[in-house]
Amino acid sequence: EVQVVESGGDLVQAGGSLRLSCTVSGFNFSGSGVGWYRQAQGKGLEWVAAINWSDGSRNYREPVKGRFTISQDKAKNILYLDMNNLKPEDSAIYYCACGWLGPKTNPRLQYKYWGQGTQVTVSS
């Protein structure tokens, strides 16, 4: 059974930093993409960042480029999202996902396995 568990969400002031962690068990990462998504209250789910587990190549949503960094610990099967210079518009539930299924119109269908999410709230 694949389990995906996020942690690290918190309430921070604008300009602050947070590190989110995603621990995955029971999943074979070889050649797989892994991603972070977020959903703000009243808005749709949106992709934030992704990393190829094998070669480490990374991609970011434009508004978070230069502020967020996605990284991996292959030995521990942990995915990280380091978030700096946080803004109120970054407030959302952040989800980790693995098992890339391909580009889909519905972002929830892009990955097979999802965590329950961790809340990030940025106060102004």
Side-chain angles (χ1 to χ4, degrees):
E1 180 186 3
V2 176
Q3 291 188 323
V4 181
V5 181
E6 305 96 335
S7 62
D10 206 345
L11 169 64
V12 295
Q13 290 187 333
S17 300
L18 280 176
R19 164 173 268 202
L20 304 184
S21 300
C22 173
T23 301
V24 183
S25 59
F27 181 74
N28 182 358
F29 282 96
S30 180
S32 177
V34 192
W36 284 99
Y37 287 69
R38 66 187 182 186
Q39 186 166 19
Q41 191 171 3
K43 296 188 178 180
L45 184 68
E46 64 181 20
W47 167 75
V48 175
I51 187 169
N52 182 291
W53 198 263
S54 294
D55 64 20
S57 58
R58 309 170 190 187
N59 289 287
Y60 298 93
R61 187 178 190 84
E62 192 62 39
V64 308
K65 283 183 179 179
R67 299 190 297 122
F68 290 12
T69 302
I70 188 171
S71 62
Q72 62 192 139
D73 184 329
K74 289 187 176 182
K76 298 180 180 179
N77 280 0
I78 298 177
L79 181 71
Y80 298 103
L81 185 68
D82 288 297
M83 306 185 295
N84 297 309
N85 191 21
L86 282 162
K87 304 176 181 181
E89 53 263 40
D90 294 318
S91 297
I93 299 174
Y94 283 71
Y95 298 94
C96 173
C98 60
W100 175 247
L101 297 175
K104 312 284 184 182
T105 301
N106 183 345
R108 181 64 74 166
L109 301 180
Q110 294 172 350
Y111 285 89
K112 185 174 182 179
Y113 302 104
W114 293 78
Q116 293 301 304
T118 186
Q119 177 72 52
V120 172
T121 304
V122 184
S123 63
S124 57

